């Protein structure tokens, strides 16, 4: 007789894999505004891998703070007030160190006495912003250039007249010594040190002018 057969023994089930469950918890007080007008709390992850530019940002902030501290430090002497809009151009007289001119978006050119910290003259000839300013070497003339495509030559008071006067006269466009019309907006101007000539630059070519002529002597363009 064959030996009796027995049914195979049941296999045991495989062991269950380990399972990890991560839970997030937070305090309700840390995320709830005490008052409706309070700003929402901003939570930052300090992991340096998430902030690769942190060192550069901190360096920029420190540099900006150092610059601001220098601006408001002792070297600041005074503020010259008078322009109604932003100042776009500054020019100093090569021989009269105490005289300076400023051009602004209000369309005026102002001449300043730095020693007495007051305005000597206001030139109101431009219909747009004054983008460029320059002063003749001897301080007899100032030139302004602006968005209205014009450059204007202004006569300045002598040193004796400026010292004796306590007022700040205002001059209109008709009071300019000469007006030079360009075909494009002017953004910069500079004077010749020996001759009554000046150069202008802007949205078009660079132009060379003579104070005795209404048309440019030469025009230079690139590109």
């Amino acid at each position: 007789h064959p030996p009796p057969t027995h049914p195979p023994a049941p296999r045991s089930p495989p062991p269950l894999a380990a399972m990890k469950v991560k839970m997030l918890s937070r305090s309700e007080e840390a995320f709830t505004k005490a008052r409706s007008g309070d700003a929402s709390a901003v939570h930052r992850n300090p992991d340096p891998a998430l902030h690769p530019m942190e060192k550069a940002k901190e360096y920029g902030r420190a540099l900006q703070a150092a610059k601001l501290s220098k601006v408001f430090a002792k070297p600041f002497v005074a503020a010259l007030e008078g322009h109604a809009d932003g100042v776009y151009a500054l020019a100093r007289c090569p021989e009269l160190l105490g005289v300076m001119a400023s051009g602004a978006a209000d369309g005026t050119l102002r001449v300043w006495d730095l020693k007495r910290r007051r305005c000597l003259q206001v030139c109101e000839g431009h219909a747009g912003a004054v983008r460029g300013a320059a002063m003749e070497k001897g301080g007899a003339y100032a030139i302004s250039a602006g968005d209205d495509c014009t450059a204007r030559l202004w006569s300045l008071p002598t040193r004796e007249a400026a010292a004796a006067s306590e007022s700040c006269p205002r001059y209109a466009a008709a009071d300019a010594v000469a007006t030079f019309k360009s075909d494009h907006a002017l953004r910069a101007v500079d004077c010749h040190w020996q001759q009554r000539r000046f150069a202008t630059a802007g949205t078009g070519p660079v132009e060379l002018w003579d104070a005795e002529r209404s048309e440019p002597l030469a025009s230079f363009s690139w590109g």
Side-chain angles (χ1 to χ4, degrees), residues 31-41:
F31 290 84
T32 304
K33 297 180 180 180
R35 293 176 294 274
S36 60
D38 291 349
S40 300

Side-chain angles (χ1 to χ4, degrees):
H1 300 283
T5 59
H6 299 282
R11 296 180 178 179
S12 58
L16 296 176
M19 181 180 298
K20 293 182 179 181
V21 179
K22 295 183 178 180
M23 300 182 63
L24 299 177
S25 63
R26 61 182 182 179
S27 172
E28 184 178 359
E29 290 80 6
F31 290 84
T32 304
K33 297 180 180 180
R35 293 176 294 274
S36 60
D38 291 349
S40 300
V42 179
H43 298 272
R44 179 177 178 275
N45 192 333
D47 185 3
L50 301 178
H51 307 279
M53 301 298 293
E54 186 68 18
K55 186 176 181 180
K57 290 181 180 178
E58 291 298 330
Y59 176 78
R61 291 171 183 168
L63 186 62
Q64 186 70 13
K67 289 181 179 179
L68 290 177
S69 64
K70 288 185 178 181
V71 169
F72 297 106
K74 289 274 187 180
F76 178 77
V77 177
L80 303 177
E81 299 181 356
H83 284 295
D85 211 331
V87 176
Y88 287 158
L90 293 174
R92 67 178 184 86
C93 180
E95 292 187 353
L96 304 177
L97 300 181
V99 179
M100 183 186 71
S102 62
D106 57 4
T108 64
L109 178 79
R110 286 178 175 261
V111 183
W112 304 90
D113 183 350
L114 299 181
K115 184 177 181 180
R116 301 170 67 183
R117 301 174 191 173
R118 69 181 186 90
C119 182
L120 298 176
Q121 182 172 317
V122 182
C123 306
E124 301 177 321
H126 289 275
V130 176
R131 302 279 184 174
M135 298 188 70
E136 183 259 342
K137 183 179 180 181
Y141 299 95
I143 301 176
S144 58
D147 288 343
D148 58 351
C149 306
T150 63
R152 300 178 186 271
L153 181 67
W154 306 92
S155 177
L156 302 183
T158 62
R159 183 182 305 181
E160 293 76 13
S165 176
E166 294 295 334
S167 62
C168 182
R170 309 180 77 92
Y171 296 93
D175 299 321
V177 177
T179 300
F180 308 90
K181 180 69 175 176
S182 179
D183 295 331
H184 55 274
L186 302 178
R187 302 296 170 84
V189 61
D190 198 7
C191 292
H192 194 283
W193 276 45
Q194 296 179 350
Q195 304 177 16
R196 292 191 62 185
R197 294 184 178 183
F198 62 94
T200 58
T203 58
V206 175
E207 295 175 328
L208 178 63
W209 303 81
D210 189 297
E212 305 297 333
R213 300 181 58 178
S214 60
E215 297 294 330
L217 298 176
S219 178
F220 307 92
S221 59
W222 295 264

